[in-house]
Amino acid sequence: MLTSLLPVSTIWWREIVRFYRQRSRLFSAIAQPLVFWLLIGSGLSASFQPAGASDTDYLAYFYPGTVVLVLLFTAIFATISVVNDRREGFLQGVLVAPVPRWRIVLGQALGGTTLALLQGVLLLGLAPFAGIRLGVTSVLLTVGMMALLAFGLTNLGLLMAWRMDSTQGFHAIMNLLLIPIWLLSGAFFPSAGAPGWLAWPMRLNPLTYGLAALRKCLYFDTASAGSLGPAWTLSVLITSLFCVLTYVGATLTASSQAE
């Protein structure tokens, strides 16, 4: 059992070591979402009121979306290593090893998830400034939901990265895909106040349910914003399904690249 997990743990640890040697990634992954939260949240707080949350300040409403943006940026930075590994020849060495592809992908996904979770937990320290009172239960639920979201987003990044040969192409595809997914997740505005042509894409967006579940976890000890979005059980189920599908897709993509 331990021998079968060795490739997973080795690849996972390699991602942690690489991150430690490139600590500028920590600053860039947190600083940009934080600037978004402070500038956009403060700028719109006086003129925008989220539909269905009359007692919620916009800075508080925007905070969960900022946490998701940190996880999303980390997924981009973590999975771009696949493109670099292919160019440097390391990936070819891994692929010829007698290791099932699902273990390789799992190690990469767990590495990205760990890094995203560490950065997301750091951002939780700013929750009181958003008017969110975090208790022990809400912290545990939030960290668990962040881990689930980070795993799904990292696998989505891997699904794309295993197909790409250049970092420029990877960034272009990820920005074209991930940023609209985040914008239509309810991070800026809830689907309840959106026009019909935007409301339906938001309902079909899996990140909408991940953000809704995260919001409810954050507001477990404060009732106001937790009423926004889909039900918590439905949101967790859809997010879990998103994680499974993206992981299977990344594994199948890695297997096809190895043939």
Side-chain angles (χ1 to χ4, degrees), residues 68 72 153 156 160 174-187 201-202 205-208 211 242:
V68 172
L72 187 149
L153 289 172
L156 182 60
M160 299 298 171
M174 295 301 281
N175 287 331
L176 182 63
L177 176 67
L178 290 186
I179 297 303
I181 287 178
W182 177 73
L183 290 173
L184 294 176
S185 67
M202 293 177 72
N205 182 4
L207 197 56
T208 298
L211 176 59
F242 171 70

Side-chain angles (χ1 to χ4, degrees), residues 49-73:
Q49 184 64 54
S54 57
D55 57 344
T56 301
D57 179 75
Y58 185 70
L59 199 62
Y61 174 83
F62 192 35
Y63 176 78
T66 306
V67 175
V68 172
L69 188 59
V70 168
L71 303 180
L72 187 149
F73 276 3

